[in-house]
């Protein structure tokens, strides 16, 4: 009775057209309604399972998730878009879990993944670009600093720093977990996760 949408493309228009988080709430309501009425939804899946690493396989399919209860838990992940909108998403008062990974591992991963992360050309990001309305003035200035750096490696470092700071600035309102801790003790974090969702 869990449904997680991996990188839903529908959120981009909602985040761009609304200055608050109401577009995300609308997307969730519409997604839930489609599932409960037996309509297909789009998700990044293979063989009916959510794709874990879209850098390896990045495909979206229409399918009908197997849900047994009408009060199923619905979640989604879209890292850059959600971090850029974090201050607004918090107003929904939904549980938000953010993972921070060791910067060395993250930067190594970015170097060999999607071009927008490998190059860290923030001005080309679909939502989290410097002109995105949800960024604060300070965050926008940090993005402009990133954008003017000539070396991709430095842009990646500065981007990681901005994203980590954005999460840490809100850590009293969201749940910030270390990726390495989750990997080391998945059972304990699954219990923590279930406790959060029982709010």
């Amino acid at each position: 009775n869990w449904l997680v949408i991996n990188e839903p493309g529908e959120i981009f228009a909602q985040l761009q057209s609304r200055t608050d988080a109401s577009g995300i709430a609308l997307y969730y309501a519409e997604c839930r309604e489609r599932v409960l009425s037996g309509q297909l939804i789009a998700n990044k899946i293979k063989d009916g399972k959510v794709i874990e690493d879209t850098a390896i396989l990045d495909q979206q399919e229409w399918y009908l998730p197997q849900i047994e209860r009408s009060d199923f838990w619905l979640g989604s992940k879209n890292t850059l878009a959600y971090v850029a909108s974090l201050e607004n998403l918090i107003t929904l008062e939904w549980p938000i879990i953010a993972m921070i990974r060791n910067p060395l591992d993250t930067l190594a991963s970015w170097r060999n993944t999607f071009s927008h992360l490998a190059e860290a050309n923030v001005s080309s990001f679909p939502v989290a670009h410097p002109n995105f309305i949800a960024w604060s003035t300070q965050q926008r200035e940090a993005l402009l600093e990133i954008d003017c750096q000539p070396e991709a490696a430095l842009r990646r470092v500065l981007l990681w720093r901005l994203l980590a700071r954005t999460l840490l600035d809100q850590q009293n309102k969201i749940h910030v977990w270390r990726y390495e801790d989750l990997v080391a003790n998945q059972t304990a974090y699954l219990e923590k996760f279930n406790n959060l969702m029982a709010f």
Side-chain angles (χ1 to χ4, degrees):
N1 294 307
W2 255 110
L3 173 59
V4 178
I5 311 297
N6 190 5
E7 300 176 353
E10 298 90 336
I11 66 166
F12 292 144
Q14 299 287 14
L15 290 172
Q16 300 264 28
S17 63
R18 297 173 181 241
T19 59
D20 56 15
S22 61
I24 298 300
L26 177 61
Y27 165 72
Y28 268 63
E30 290 176 345
C31 184
R32 182 177 292 278
E33 182 179 2
R34 290 183 68 88
V35 172
L36 293 177
S37 62
Q39 299 178 58
L40 299 177
I41 64 166
N43 201 354
K44 293 189 175 182
I45 60 168
K46 181 181 181 183
D47 300 327
K49 295 184 178 181
V50 175
I51 296 170
E52 294 183 13
D53 189 346
T54 53
I56 298 174
L57 180 63
D58 189 17
Q59 67 181 30
Q60 192 175 60
E61 294 183 7
W62 291 91
Y63 79 126
L64 182 62
Q66 299 302 307
I67 298 297
E68 298 176 0
R69 296 176 7 189
S70 61
D71 61 343
F72 66 91
W73 289 343
L74 176 61
S76 65
K77 167 242 175 187
N78 200 308
T79 305
L80 289 173
Y82 288 165
V83 172
S85 307
L86 185 58
E87 190 169 339
N88 291 331
L89 292 175
I90 287 170
T91 65
L92 295 173
E93 298 184 351
W94 294 351
I96 296 175
I97 297 173
M99 306 293 297
I100 293 186
R101 188 180 181 189
N102 182 300
L104 296 178
D105 294 333
T106 304
L107 294 169
S109 171
W110 286 359
R111 188 177 60 236
N112 300 304
T113 186
F114 299 108
S115 60
H116 69 283
L117 288 175
E119 295 300 320
N121 287 323
V122 296
S123 58
S124 67
F125 287 174
V127 168
H129 52 78
N131 294 324
F132 181 48
I133 194 168
W135 287 121
S136 69
T137 300
Q138 184 178 8
Q139 290 167 326
R140 190 168 293 109
E141 290 174 352
L143 286 163
L144 293 173
E145 178 189 6
I146 295 168
D147 202 34
C148 70
Q149 302 302 320
E151 298 294 332
L154 180 55
R155 291 195 299 271
R156 289 193 297 267
V157 169
L158 294 175
L159 177 60
W160 187 94
R161 182 181 70 174
L162 170 62
L163 298 178
R165 282 180 172 174
T166 300
L167 297 179
L168 293 175
D169 286 346
Q170 302 291 347
Q171 63 182 321
N172 61 330
K173 299 176 183 176
I174 66 175
H175 306 278
V176 179
W177 294 350
R178 292 179 68 249
Y179 173 81
E180 293 80 8
D181 293 341
L182 171 67
V183 171
N185 196 344
Q186 296 180 37
T187 300
Y189 275 82
L190 182 59
E191 291 177 0
K192 288 177 65 174
F193 191 78
N194 287 333
N195 290 335
L196 288 177
M197 299 310 297
F199 71 104

